[in-house]
Amino acid sequence: MKIRVLILFLLLITLPLSFCGSGGEASSEKEKTGKLKGKSFNVLLITIDTLRFDRIGVYSDKYVKTPNLDKFASESFVFTRGFAHNPVTLPSHTNILTGTTPLYHGISDNSGFVLEDRFLTITEVLKDNDYETGAFIGAFPLDSRFGLNQGFDIYDDNYGSHNNLELFFVERKAEDVLKPAKKWINSREGKWFSWIHLFDPHQPYLPPDPYKSEYPEDFYSGEVAYVDAELGKFFNFLRQSGEFEKTIIILTADHGEALGEKGEETHSYFAYNNTIHIPYIIYVPGTSGRKINRNVSHIDIFPSICDLTGIDIPDHIQGRSLLPLIRKDKIKEKYIYFESLSPYLNRGWAPLTGFIYGEDKFIDLPIREFYDLGVDLKENNNIITEKNGGNLKYKLDKLKKNLTSKDKPERSDSLDSETQKKLKSLGYFTGSSSKKKKVFSKKDDLKTLLPLQRLMYEALSSFQKGKAESAIKDLKSILDKTPGYILIYSHLAKIYRETGRIDLALDILDKGLKNNPGDPSLLSKLGIFLVEANRADKAIDILEQCIKIRSSDPENFNYLGVAYYKSRKFDKALLNYKKALELDDNYAPVLNNIGSMYLTLYQGNRDERAYSFAMDNFNKALKIDGKLHSAFNGRGAAKYFKGDYEGAISDWKNAIESKPDFIDPYFSVGITYMVKMKDKRKAYEYFTLCKKRVYKKLPQKEQQRLNRLIDQTGY
């Protein structure tokens, strides 16, 4: 059972009417306080993904101009020593929303984790206290399927369609997140809680103009400047609507970005301050704010919201309210736990954990690190010794023990005996233990293995620049040194697939599973690729085992549905599609697949109900994702069957615009122009466009077919 807040009314709270000074120490005279009577504050949480501490002017004006965030900060409490517990998106936001660390809720990475319903979120607490709740999400790592939608009346994660075959997350621009957020806030009549997640500073850095032109050598800062501009408009909306002075506003980042410092290009590898020291700003109506130079962390946000709104703080919360610091009360330092476990979970390298206490920062790896943040905030001087190392390790172990829940959930990678037996019969489980090692040496340290991490990013960069063979060569060289590096098999498979070599993709996944027996992520990709290779029977066997391991992943159900569809087992296909939608109700590709199935049924028997179901699902898919190329393609085919050739061509052109390397609609448009519309010039235009854009991806027979069609146009 979840812990529920029983108090159903707001308590009057006491806050200073005015603050001055620049430190967190108590003032010489007792502050005058006044009651904010009758206030029912709204609560707004803004998280800016991948925002470095030094990219807001109030913290540093060295890199980028952020006038709107600076204005907001000038009215707020600016915590100069804010820290994340993870340098990864999903765990960090889980920490914020639950007020607990990964040692309690169990989520330590983006992949393979879902927040279980038994964990209480701040959203649910506010919901129980008569708040309307709405979330507006910028990108896939926070999709509703991962469990952070608990307690929200609306969870708007309509950023577009994503699947785990892609190298980068699907995202939407800040303006496209803030637009529905404004509309929702504007229509509230009572108290509300809104969470707004902006993803723009995350890689790849693609700022729109004029920010791209203003920061030609630093696109990352250009992204930050763009977000600042959009938040400026948003804050103006809050002021003009009268909501600003009624709303507690908390603005932070989930983590930072290394940008090459310490040898790390982005984040999720080390846990230096370039990725876990984050902006942390709280606006409280009726106060003037100031800078506070004390250590605070993400898990402090939950209890602070409770305290500021007069709600009891649940007993299990691991953070603490920051209201005493705001009031200048004297409080003791608290240990802040942090971790970076993605390299351990996805590569089998040494796990990184540590703590911050006062000016001390300890990083526990085979090669330990200790820094005095009072004089070395950038962590340039490791002052670890054999003597202090043992004591620091003892303190960390004690901290971890105190924070760890007795029933902490684990990543869903476990294989029961039945699944092991089935995988063994399929050749994907050798019978050897697939559990991760527990004893690590210096050769497993992240600093030692950093060159391999950097080579991986260089390879992916090469692929983005069109140098697929160079990328493949580099990724293979990494596997020669670390055959257990799961991500490399995954990236190689994706590159082979993207370059039209599905058989090689299957081969590399097979090799990966031999070196990592039963790994769920590799198994899932193998099943998906088998579907795409039209080997449906084997795909069904694999994906059914994947579902036994990770029953919370809608993608496995979706592709299992596709496999059954290709096997003409439509009832089983529909059953799995529905299960995928139960896990993620706005999963547009599933709706498209349902539409395709009904269109196939219509082709077989001309049942008008099947046609209606097909169009309904295509339209639903496009309502959720207006750029879903496959749904445009399917709806175009449906219109074609009804003789609406102009409508079909329009949808197929939209499919091409949405995905220029999508092959099918080029042929469909060209043939329809030539055969049905008797317009050979237009047909020639699209056939040649196809040849220009995707000719190399076509199988030899399709290349020959395309050349014949071009000849038939007579141009």
Side-chain angles (χ1 to χ4, degrees):
M1 295 291 294
K2 291 189 175 185
I3 301 170
R4 292 289 181 179
V5 178
L6 299 178
I7 292 181
L8 300 177
F9 57 89
L10 294 175
L11 300 174
L12 295 176
I13 61 174
T14 302
L15 287 173
L17 289 176
S18 175
F19 294 105
C20 57
S22 60
E25 302 304 318
S27 58
S28 55
E29 296 182 14
K30 186 175 181 180
E31 294 278 348
K32 290 184 179 181
T33 61
K35 291 185 177 180
L36 299 175
K37 295 182 179 179
K39 296 290 184 181
S40 292
F41 290 132
N42 306 311
V43 181
L44 173 61
L45 171 65
I46 301 173
T47 57
I48 305 175
D49 214 290
T50 325
L51 178 61
R52 278 178 64 114
F53 168 85
D54 58 9
R55 288 313 196 270
I56 297 181
V58 70
Y59 294 109
S60 170
D61 58 3
K62 182 178 178 181
Y63 301 100
V64 57
K65 296 177 182 178
T66 55
N68 299 293
L69 287 171
D70 293 348
K71 180 182 178 182
F72 168 69
S74 70
E75 305 171 87
S76 307
F77 298 97
V78 178
F79 292 86
T80 64
R81 299 288 291 271
F83 293 97
H85 307 278
N86 298 77
V88 191
T89 299
L90 180 62
S92 272
H93 285 92
T94 307
N95 302 335
I96 291 170
L97 293 179
T98 66
T100 61
T101 66
L103 295 170
Y104 187 91
H105 56 66
I107 296 179
S108 291
D109 195 19
N110 286 336
S111 175
F113 294 93
V114 177
L115 181 66
E116 295 181 7
D117 188 60
R118 61 190 171 94
F119 291 103
L120 184 69
T121 65
I122 185 61
T123 319
E124 292 169 303
V125 170
L126 293 171
K127 181 73 177 171
D128 283 348
N129 283 270
D130 302 322
Y131 279 78
E132 296 180 79
T133 55
F136 303 88
I137 305 302
F140 175 74
L142 300 177
D143 191 273
S144 62
R145 67 181 67 176
F146 301 120
L148 297 189
N149 60 333
Q150 296 176 32
F152 281 105
D153 300 323
I154 179 174
Y155 196 86
D156 181 345
D157 54 355
N158 297 327
Y159 44 76
S161 298
H162 177 90
N163 66 64
N164 65 10
L165 306 181
E166 295 164 345
L167 290 173
F168 293 106
F169 297 122
V170 173
E171 60 176 290
R172 56 176 168 171
K173 295 184 295 184
E175 60 197 89
D176 295 329
V177 178
L178 292 167
K179 183 178 179 180
K182 288 180 187 177
K183 184 177 180 180
W184 183 82
I185 290 170
N186 209 35
S187 63
R188 296 309 96 200
E189 295 183 357
K191 298 178 297 183
W192 53 263
F193 165 57
S194 182
W195 167 31
I196 294 173
H197 167 248
L198 306 178
F199 198 70
D200 302 82
H202 195 285
Q203 189 191 41
Y205 317 127
L206 301 169
D209 281 326
Y211 312 102
K212 183 177 180 180
S213 301
E214 290 176 7
Y215 297 89
E217 304 300 322
D218 185 4
F219 282 178
Y220 172 80
S221 290
E223 292 269 36
V224 175
Y226 163 68
V227 168
D228 176 77
E230 292 303 317
L231 280 175
K233 299 174 189 176
F234 181 70
F235 288 142
N236 286 339
F237 152 75
L238 291 176
R239 294 179 195 279
Q240 291 168 8
S241 64
E243 295 296 310
F244 193 86
E245 288 303 323
K246 302 176 186 176
T247 306
I248 297 164
I249 304 174
I250 299 149
L251 185 146
T252 188
D254 56 347
H255 54 75
E257 190 80 319
L259 299 176
E261 294 175 0
K262 305 285 190 181
E264 183 176 8
E265 295 302 318
T266 55
H267 59 272
S268 79
Y269 190 72
F270 290 128
Y272 294 120
N273 287 341
N274 50 35
T275 61
I276 68 166
H277 184 198
I278 39 90
Y280 201 115
I281 304 172
I282 300 178
Y283 169 76
V284 181
T287 67
S288 56
R290 71 180 190 284
K291 283 189 177 181
I292 299 177
N293 305 315
R294 292 289 297 273
N295 293 346
V296 298
S297 67
H298 275 156
I299 59 173
D300 299 329
I301 290 174
F302 185 133
S304 298
I305 291 173
C306 288
D307 217 357
L308 288 166
T309 55
I311 298 171
D312 280 354
I313 300 169
D315 291 339
H316 73 283
I317 295 300
Q318 295 179 332
R320 62 177 174 180
S321 170
L322 300 179
L323 188 54
L325 285 179
I326 288 173
R327 287 175 168 158
K328 293 190 176 182
D329 293 344
K330 290 184 177 180
I331 62 173
K332 294 180 179 180
E333 284 289 350
K334 189 174 181 180
Y335 283 88
I336 296 173
Y337 168 79
F338 63 83
E339 64 178 35
S340 179
L341 297 185
S342 297
Y344 166 69
L345 293 167
N346 301 311
R347 303 158 178 76
W349 299 353
L352 185 161
T353 59
F355 69 77
I356 295 167
Y357 179 77
E359 306 295 354
D360 295 346
K361 181 174 179 180
F362 173 57
I363 299 174
D364 187 29
L365 279 168
I367 304 172
R368 293 172 177 167
E369 300 173 64
F370 179 48
Y371 299 98
D372 180 353
L373 301 185
V375 296
D376 186 20
L377 195 60
K378 292 189 175 182
E379 300 149 302
N380 292 319
N381 184 26
N382 181 8
I383 55 174
I384 197 75
T385 65
E386 186 175 342
K387 183 177 180 179
N388 65 22
N391 185 45
L392 293 165
K393 172 65 172 171
Y394 169 78
K395 290 179 179 178
L396 175 61
D397 289 343
K398 183 179 179 181
L399 174 64
K400 289 164 72 172
K401 183 178 180 181
N402 290 337
L403 292 174
T404 300
S405 168
K406 292 180 180 178
D407 56 351
K408 184 189 83 168
E410 299 295 332
R411 195 182 196 185
S412 52
D413 287 358
S414 58
L415 307 178
D416 59 34
S417 57
E418 183 183 342
T419 303
Q420 290 183 31
K421 185 177 179 180
K422 181 64 176 178
L423 290 175
K424 192 171 183 179
S425 71
L426 295 171
Y428 296 109
F429 191 81
T430 62
S432 61
S433 174
S434 60
K435 293 182 179 179
K436 297 191 180 298
K437 63 190 291 187
K438 295 184 178 180
V439 179
F440 299 90
S441 65
K442 291 182 179 181
K443 68 181 180 64
D444 302 306
D445 191 284
L446 302 190
K447 296 179 287 297
T448 303
L449 294 166
L450 180 60
L452 298 182
Q453 172 78 357
R454 297 186 68 179
L455 183 58
M456 181 188 75
Y457 277 105
E458 289 171 11
L460 296 180
S461 178
S462 294
F463 177 64
Q464 285 180 272
K465 295 173 183 176
K467 301 176 182 178
E469 298 311 311
S470 175
I472 290 169
K473 180 181 178 181
D474 285 343
L475 292 174
K476 282 185 172 180
S477 72
I478 296 173
L479 288 182
D480 290 339
K481 299 179 179 68
T482 56
Y485 199 159
I486 294 168
L487 274 180
I488 302 300
Y489 294 104
S490 179
H491 289 320
L492 274 170
K494 292 174 186 177
I495 291 172
Y496 281 134
R497 171 184 175 270
E498 285 296 305
T499 52
R501 293 173 281 185
I502 192 70
D503 287 341
L504 290 178
L506 294 172
D507 288 344
I508 198 66
L509 289 172
D510 186 83
K511 182 179 178 181
L513 284 162
K514 284 182 171 58
N515 285 291
N516 302 274
D519 178 77
S521 63
L522 295 179
L523 270 176
S524 178
K525 286 181 178 61
L526 178 65
I528 291 169
F529 283 20
L530 285 167
V531 173
E532 295 194 348
N534 293 314
R535 294 163 65 177
D537 290 345
K538 193 168 185 180
I540 289 170
D541 285 337
I542 295 295
L543 290 169
E544 284 182 340
Q545 301 314 309
C546 290
I547 286 168
K548 287 183 179 179
I549 302 168
R550 289 183 181 171
S551 60
S552 61
D553 188 347
E555 208 143 353
N556 287 332
F557 285 106
N558 178 38
Y559 277 96
L560 183 56
V562 175
Y564 277 122
Y565 162 74
K566 289 189 173 184
S567 300
R568 310 289 294 183
K569 298 175 182 177
F570 298 129
D571 289 345
K572 287 189 174 181
L574 186 59
L575 177 65
N576 281 282
Y577 290 147
K578 287 182 176 179
K579 287 180 178 178
L581 288 174
E582 286 173 6
L583 292 167
D584 188 347
D585 61 4
N586 68 346
Y587 191 3
V590 179
L591 294 165
N592 169 69
N593 291 339
I594 295 173
S596 297
M597 186 188 75
Y598 279 117
L599 187 59
T600 299
L601 292 171
Y602 171 73
Q603 287 177 266
N605 57 23
R606 288 299 190 265
D607 183 340
E608 290 300 322
R609 290 177 304 171
Y611 182 84
S612 178
F613 286 145
M615 289 297 290
D616 183 50
N617 279 282
F618 288 138
N619 289 332
K620 285 180 180 177
L622 288 168
K623 185 177 181 180
I624 293 170
D625 183 356
K627 295 183 179 180
L628 186 58
H629 61 281
S630 54
F632 277 124
N633 190 55
R635 193 174 70 176
K639 290 177 179 178
Y640 180 90
F641 292 140
K642 286 290 189 179
D644 180 8
Y645 303 128
E646 289 186 358
I649 287 173
S650 176
D651 271 342
W652 287 329
K653 285 181 178 179
N654 282 328
I656 291 170
E657 184 178 349
S658 297
K659 188 173 176 58
D661 63 347
F662 184 29
I663 295 166
D664 293 355
Y666 289 101
F667 282 93
S668 299
V669 170
I671 291 171
T672 303
Y673 270 129
M674 187 165 66
V675 177
K676 299 295 183 179
M677 311 290 283
K678 307 302 180 183
D679 190 339
K680 291 186 176 181
R681 179 175 290 278
K682 279 286 187 182
Y684 173 79
E685 177 185 332
Y686 275 87
F687 288 144
T688 53
L689 187 62
C690 178
K691 188 167 186 176
K692 177 182 178 182
R693 289 180 175 175
V694 298
Y695 191 75
K696 291 181 179 179
K697 292 182 67 175
L698 293 173
Q700 187 175 6
K701 287 185 178 180
E702 289 298 292
Q703 290 178 347
Q704 293 170 352
R705 179 187 176 215
L706 179 60
N707 289 330
R708 285 196 303 271
L709 288 168
I710 291 172
D711 290 341
Q712 289 172 23
T713 65
Y715 287 94

